[in-house]
Amino acid sequence: MDNILPIKLQGIENKRPIIIAGPCSAESEEQTLSTAYQLAQMGIKIFRAGIWKPRTKPGCFEGVGAVGLPWLRRVKEETGMLTTIEVATTQHVEEALKAGIDILWIGARTTASPFSMQQIADSLKGVQIPVLVKNPVNPDLDLWIGAIERLYNAGQQQIGAIHRGFTSYGKHLYRNLPHWHIPIELRRRLPQITLFGDPSHIGGRRDMVAPLSQQAMDLGYDGLIIESHCNPDKAWSDASQQVTPEDLKNILSNIVVRETCLVTEKLAELRRHIDNLDNELISILSERMRVSREIGHYKKENNMPILQANRYDEILTKRIAQAIELGMSQEFIKSILEAIHEESVQQQVKIINKA
Ligand code: PEP
Ligand code: MN
């Protein structure tokens, strides 16, 4: 997908961050226009509003539907902003194109469905329009890239990605876990793709919009899509995460955009130091696996099972305590030890089962 182009929008400076703002849902002509006018006045150039809402359960507000399209047409004509909506079916695509929508976005539940993605991609054949693909609900990078690839193979060139976080079971600080390494890896694999952060759906809370926006910018994202509503407390969907245009103005004016790329001798030296340490880490890990294989041979000769639960527990407890003492987090060291242990077990499994 070498030909994915960075998204270039008419009348919009390519300056980070590109901001898309607007309500979760268009609710009425008045709410849509009132929000749009306030956002336009503070310099926002791209307006979002959901028309068809993929709610988890039936019975919730599922969007106003096509009657909202003329409201967005008014937003475009009267404020000059570009407009974007979510499309999930070929019917949505058709109606959006007819209504003069400028940018389409694919919701997280749709990205996760290859059949829907293929149908949407096919329905766009012969049309060039920027399409933003949200990450799928589940933390599966290949599924995200697969959705992008379907659009690309059908001829779309201006494809962007939106990081909106990943669903997980149980209560968490985040509404959707960010798993930052996934969008970072997406960036590594598709360096030209225009990447947006969606702090509203990651955090699910107004007070998290600012820190999550800053973090996205610090990771080099190109833009942000933020839910903003003229009366957030009364919003028909996602009320707790929407901010007023006034709050959005404050949030945006406090974002620090770090653009310089200054590789001085000092930074180069620190990086050499990191390279040396990584080098040592790999050697040590390989030596640890060699010893682990030796233990595998011992267990085989003595007819012992691989997993010795109390020994594993002893390693975890001891090393976690040591790591905390040295200023590292328990979650971090636990995930490292788990990965090492899993690989050790795999290596021993191979030895024990070899005829
Ligand atoms: C939305 O943007 O309002 C939305 C429904 O998002 P997601 O697909 O990320 O849940
Ligand atoms: Mn929403």
Side-chain angles (χ1 to χ4, degrees):
M1 288 189 277
D2 292 341
N3 285 330
I4 289 187
L5 302 174
I7 289 186
K8 282 221 170 66
L9 300 159
Q10 231 187 340
I12 292 175
E13 254 184 286
N14 242 3
K15 204 169 136 246
R16 297 172 61 230
I18 305 165
I19 303 294
I20 303 174
C24 178
S25 306
E27 299 162 5
S28 67
E29 187 159 20
E30 210 221 319
Q31 168 257 4
T32 304
L33 269 294
S34 155
T35 308
Y37 269 101
Q38 291 180 54
L39 292 170
Q41 209 188 12
M42 50 180 272
I44 300 295
K45 300 277 195 277
I46 312 171
F47 183 77
R48 65 151 281 158
I51 295 286
W52 298 285
K53 301 302 299 179
R55 298 290 91 182
T56 302
K57 288 186 184 166
C60 305
F61 171 58
E62 294 192 303
V64 292
V67 295
L69 291 169
W71 309 342
L72 286 166
R73 171 79 79 171
R74 275 193 65 192
V75 168
K76 186 172 158 153
E77 285 171 0
E78 295 174 30
T79 70
M81 284 192 283
L82 301 181
T83 54
T84 178
I85 62 168
E86 171 175 348
V87 290
T89 67
T90 55
Q91 169 97 14
H92 295 165
V93 170
E94 237 171 72
E95 298 202 44
L97 294 177
K98 235 191 295 166
I101 297 293
D102 303 281
I103 302 165
L104 305 177
W105 95 73
I106 309 291
R109 294 155 192 80
T110 309
T111 307
S113 161
F115 291 124
S116 298
M117 278 313 304
Q118 193 58 52
Q119 284 175 349
I120 290 171
D122 291 342
S123 72
L124 282 168
K125 276 217 173 103
V127 183
Q128 280 298 331
I129 183 167
V131 186
L132 308 178
V133 182
K134 287 203 174 195
N135 64 255
V137 276
N138 49 327
D140 183 340
L141 176 60
D142 285 326
L143 198 54
W144 195 2
I145 292 182
I148 292 167
E149 206 170 324
R150 287 176 198 278
L151 290 163
Y152 179 79
N153 289 347
Q156 294 305 316
Q157 289 193 306
Q158 293 201 45
I159 307 171
I162 300 175
H163 171 221
R164 56 75 85 186
F166 303 88
T167 308
S168 78
Y169 183 70
K171 275 232 156 301
H172 298 272
L173 168 64
Y174 300 97
R175 176 177 177 194
N176 292 297
L177 300 183
H179 291 307
W180 296 101
H181 56 285
I182 296 179
I184 289 171
E185 177 62 12
L186 176 83
R187 228 314 139 62
R188 196 179 70 81
R189 292 215 223 154
L190 301 174
Q192 336 76 304
I193 204 160
T194 305
L195 179 60
F196 288 84
D198 177 348
S200 309
H201 290 91
I202 293 178
R205 279 173 28 185
R206 268 166 223 164
D207 61 339
M208 288 174 78
V209 173
L212 287 166
S213 298
Q214 185 61 54
Q215 183 157 354
M217 292 321 294
D218 288 338
L219 291 174
Y221 287 32
D222 302 286
L224 299 166
I225 176 166
I226 300 180
E227 286 188 342
S228 178
H229 188 293
C230 58
N231 190 357
D233 287 330
K234 292 274 151 53
W236 297 359
S237 60
D238 290 354
S240 54
Q241 70 196 33
Q242 303 206 59
V243 296
T244 61
E246 189 59 32
D247 286 343
L248 179 63
K249 197 170 170 182
N250 277 329
I251 291 168
L252 295 179
S253 66
N254 283 315
I255 287 181
V256 183
V257 182
R258 300 174 170 96
E259 288 283 14
T260 38
C261 184
L262 191 63
V263 184
T264 55
E265 184 44 38
K266 177 163 175 60
L267 180 61
E269 191 192 321
L270 289 168
R271 285 181 170 167
R272 278 195 295 276
H273 194 173
I274 289 278
D275 285 344
N276 289 338
L277 291 170
D278 284 347
N279 197 10
E280 265 180 65
L281 264 176
I282 301 289
S283 305
I284 290 174
L285 281 172
S286 113
E287 175 61 8
R288 193 190 188 286
M289 290 306 155
R290 194 193 57 72
V291 175
S292 183
R293 286 192 296 274
E294 226 174 275
I295 293 178
H297 286 294
Y298 178 89
K299 287 176 181 164
K300 183 174 186 167
E301 277 154 29
N302 293 284
N303 212 18
M304 285 168 69
I306 291 173
L307 187 66
Q308 311 278 320
N310 48 359
R311 167 66 182 151
Y312 180 46
D313 185 57
E314 179 197 314
I315 292 178
L316 275 185
T317 313
K318 196 159 139 196
R319 296 305 164 196
I320 286 174
Q322 182 189 10
I324 291 174
E325 190 107 321
L326 292 172
M328 287 176 276
S329 78
Q330 168 157 344
E331 296 73 33
F332 167 69
I333 204 63
K334 195 154 173 266
S335 65
I336 297 269
L337 290 169
E338 278 167 356
I340 292 175
H341 187 253
E342 193 178 324
E343 176 67 12
S344 287
V345 168
Q346 277 316 318
Q347 300 229 358
Q348 294 188 1
V349 164
K350 270 196 217 145
I351 288 165
I352 286 204
N353 293 314
K354 206 148 109 195

mmCIF file of all heavy atoms in Angstrom, residues 19 26 53 55 66 98 114 134-135 147 195 247 255 262 291 311 339 349:
data_model
loop_
_atom_site.group_PDB
_atom_site.id
_atom_site.type_symbol
_atom_site.label_atom_id
_atom_site.label_comp_id
_atom_site.label_asym_id
_atom_site.label_seq_id
_atom_site.Cartn_x
_atom_site.Cartn_y
_atom_site.Cartn_z
ATOM 1 N N ILE A 19 -7.987 19.328 13.025
ATOM 2 C CA ILE A 19 -9.061 19.089 13.997
ATOM 3 C C ILE A 19 -10.387 18.804 13.300
ATOM 4 O O ILE A 19 -10.811 19.532 12.415
ATOM 5 C CB ILE A 19 -9.255 20.299 14.941
ATOM 6 C CG1 ILE A 19 -7.947 20.638 15.677
ATOM 7 C CG2 ILE A 19 -10.384 20.029 15.929
ATOM 8 C CD1 ILE A 19 -7.481 19.567 16.644
ATOM 9 N N ALA A 26 -26.015 14.018 15.224
ATOM 10 C CA ALA A 26 -26.909 15.109 14.852
ATOM 11 C C ALA A 26 -28.263 14.753 15.470
ATOM 12 O O ALA A 26 -28.757 13.642 15.292
ATOM 13 C CB ALA A 26 -27.022 15.201 13.337
ATOM 14 N N LYS A 53 -26.303 5.787 13.952
ATOM 15 C CA LYS A 53 -25.464 5.469 15.107
ATOM 16 C C LYS A 53 -25.483 3.984 15.417
ATOM 17 O O LYS A 53 -26.553 3.417 15.668
ATOM 18 C CB LYS A 53 -25.969 6.224 16.356
ATOM 19 C CG LYS A 53 -25.981 7.730 16.226
ATOM 20 C CD LYS A 53 -24.613 8.302 15.915
ATOM 21 C CE LYS A 53 -23.587 8.016 16.998
ATOM 22 N NZ LYS A 53 -22.259 8.582 16.618
ATOM 23 N N ARG A 55 -25.444 1.695 17.846
ATOM 24 C CA ARG A 55 -25.510 1.514 19.296
ATOM 25 C C ARG A 55 -25.409 0.038 19.652
ATOM 26 O O ARG A 55 -25.888 -0.826 18.915
ATOM 27 C CB ARG A 55 -26.799 2.109 19.863
ATOM 28 C CG ARG A 55 -26.966 3.610 19.656
ATOM 29 C CD ARG A 55 -25.997 4.431 20.504
ATOM 30 N NE ARG A 55 -24.765 4.711 19.795
ATOM 31 C CZ ARG A 55 -23.732 5.370 20.311
ATOM 32 N NH1 ARG A 55 -23.770 5.797 21.555
ATOM 33 N NH2 ARG A 55 -22.655 5.597 19.622
ATOM 34 N N ALA A 66 -31.368 9.667 7.454
ATOM 35 C CA ALA A 66 -31.138 10.546 6.291
ATOM 36 C C ALA A 66 -31.741 11.944 6.437
ATOM 37 O O ALA A 66 -31.282 12.876 5.774
ATOM 38 C CB ALA A 66 -31.657 9.874 5.029
ATOM 39 N N LYS A 98 -24.476 11.527 -2.285
ATOM 40 C CA LYS A 98 -25.525 12.358 -2.892
ATOM 41 C C LYS A 98 -25.677 13.669 -2.120
ATOM 42 O O LYS A 98 -25.941 14.718 -2.699
ATOM 43 C CB LYS A 98 -26.856 11.589 -2.900
ATOM 44 C CG LYS A 98 -27.465 11.507 -4.309
ATOM 45 C CD LYS A 98 -28.899 10.991 -4.285
ATOM 46 C CE LYS A 98 -28.963 9.537 -3.803
ATOM 47 N NZ LYS A 98 -30.307 9.103 -3.455
ATOM 48 N N PRO A 114 -15.199 -7.828 7.829
ATOM 49 C CA PRO A 114 -14.652 -7.834 6.470
ATOM 50 C C PRO A 114 -15.723 -7.782 5.386
ATOM 51 O O PRO A 114 -15.535 -7.120 4.359
ATOM 52 C CB PRO A 114 -13.879 -9.149 6.415
ATOM 53 C CG PRO A 114 -13.538 -9.444 7.838
ATOM 54 C CD PRO A 114 -14.689 -8.934 8.646
ATOM 55 N N LYS A 134 -11.707 3.865 11.472
ATOM 56 C CA LYS A 134 -11.456 3.695 12.911
ATOM 57 C C LYS A 134 -10.867 2.315 13.164
ATOM 58 O O LYS A 134 -11.108 1.374 12.394
ATOM 59 C CB LYS A 134 -12.758 3.851 13.691
ATOM 60 C CG LYS A 134 -13.248 5.294 13.767
ATOM 61 C CD LYS A 134 -14.156 5.474 14.969
ATOM 62 C CE LYS A 134 -14.543 6.932 15.145
ATOM 63 N NZ LYS A 134 -15.108 7.182 16.480
ATOM 64 N N ASN A 135 -10.121 2.186 14.276
ATOM 65 C CA ASN A 135 -9.618 0.851 14.600
ATOM 66 C C ASN A 135 -10.819 -0.054 14.905
ATOM 67 O O ASN A 135 -11.867 0.421 15.321
ATOM 68 C CB ASN A 135 -8.632 0.882 15.782
ATOM 69 C CG ASN A 135 -9.241 1.334 17.094
ATOM 70 O OD1 ASN A 135 -9.020 2.457 17.541
ATOM 71 N ND2 ASN A 135 -10.022 0.478 17.724
ATOM 72 N N ALA A 147 -8.963 -3.753 6.615
ATOM 73 C CA ALA A 147 -10.054 -2.853 6.207
ATOM 74 C C ALA A 147 -9.497 -1.741 5.312
ATOM 75 O O ALA A 147 -10.085 -1.398 4.278
ATOM 76 C CB ALA A 147 -10.718 -2.257 7.449
ATOM 77 N N LEU A 195 -2.973 9.942 10.520
ATOM 78 C CA LEU A 195 -3.470 9.291 11.732
ATOM 79 C C LEU A 195 -4.124 10.303 12.683
ATOM 80 O O LEU A 195 -3.523 11.316 13.033
ATOM 81 C CB LEU A 195 -2.302 8.570 12.435
ATOM 82 C CG LEU A 195 -2.598 7.848 13.747
ATOM 83 C CD1 LEU A 195 -3.637 6.744 13.556
ATOM 84 C CD2 LEU A 195 -1.306 7.256 14.336
ATOM 85 N N ASP A 247 -15.174 24.799 25.806
ATOM 86 C CA ASP A 247 -14.186 23.906 26.436
ATOM 87 C C ASP A 247 -13.187 23.394 25.405
ATOM 88 O O ASP A 247 -11.990 23.272 25.682
ATOM 89 C CB ASP A 247 -14.874 22.687 27.073
ATOM 90 C CG ASP A 247 -15.589 23.073 28.361
ATOM 91 O OD1 ASP A 247 -15.283 24.152 28.904
ATOM 92 O OD2 ASP A 247 -16.470 22.298 28.792
ATOM 93 N N ILE A 255 -2.846 22.628 23.991
ATOM 94 C CA ILE A 255 -2.063 21.512 23.449
ATOM 95 C C ILE A 255 -0.699 22.029 22.988
ATOM 96 O O ILE A 255 -0.606 23.044 22.301
ATOM 97 C CB ILE A 255 -2.805 20.845 22.271
ATOM 98 C CG1 ILE A 255 -3.990 20.041 22.813
ATOM 99 C CG2 ILE A 255 -1.879 19.938 21.471
ATOM 100 C CD1 ILE A 255 -4.775 19.323 21.743
ATOM 101 N N LEU A 262 15.523 17.496 16.235
ATOM 102 C CA LEU A 262 16.861 18.010 16.418
ATOM 103 C C LEU A 262 17.754 16.885 16.939
ATOM 104 O O LEU A 262 17.742 16.586 18.124
ATOM 105 C CB LEU A 262 16.776 19.155 17.445
ATOM 106 C CG LEU A 262 17.978 20.045 17.637
ATOM 107 C CD1 LEU A 262 18.294 20.797 16.358
ATOM 108 C CD2 LEU A 262 17.707 21.020 18.770
ATOM 109 N N VAL A 291 19.714 -21.824 28.841
ATOM 110 C CA VAL A 291 19.653 -22.510 30.140
ATOM 111 C C VAL A 291 18.291 -23.192 30.294
ATOM 112 O O VAL A 291 18.188 -24.320 30.784
ATOM 113 C CB VAL A 291 19.909 -21.502 31.291
ATOM 114 C CG1 VAL A 291 19.735 -22.185 32.637
ATOM 115 C CG2 VAL A 291 21.301 -20.908 31.176
ATOM 116 N N ARG A 311 7.510 -22.644 41.468
ATOM 117 C CA ARG A 311 8.759 -22.031 40.985
ATOM 118 C C ARG A 311 8.433 -20.763 40.184
ATOM 119 O O ARG A 311 9.056 -19.713 40.355
ATOM 120 C CB ARG A 311 9.508 -23.052 40.118
ATOM 121 C CG ARG A 311 10.646 -22.510 39.287
ATOM 122 C CD ARG A 311 11.825 -22.001 40.142
ATOM 123 N NE ARG A 311 12.863 -21.450 39.274
ATOM 124 C CZ ARG A 311 13.687 -20.479 39.637
ATOM 125 N NH1 ARG A 311 13.629 -19.968 40.857
ATOM 126 N NH2 ARG A 311 14.601 -20.036 38.799
ATOM 127 N N ALA A 339 5.943 -12.893 29.238
ATOM 128 C CA ALA A 339 6.382 -13.185 27.863
ATOM 129 C C ALA A 339 7.609 -14.094 27.883
ATOM 130 O O ALA A 339 7.706 -15.054 27.106
ATOM 131 C CB ALA A 339 6.687 -11.882 27.131
ATOM 132 N N VAL A 349 8.674 -27.321 25.712
ATOM 133 C CA VAL A 349 7.662 -28.216 25.127
ATOM 134 C C VAL A 349 8.267 -28.946 23.922
ATOM 135 O O VAL A 349 8.117 -30.145 23.740
ATOM 136 C CB VAL A 349 6.407 -27.421 24.711
ATOM 137 C CG1 VAL A 349 5.527 -28.226 23.759
ATOM 138 C CG2 VAL A 349 5.585 -27.029 25.942
#
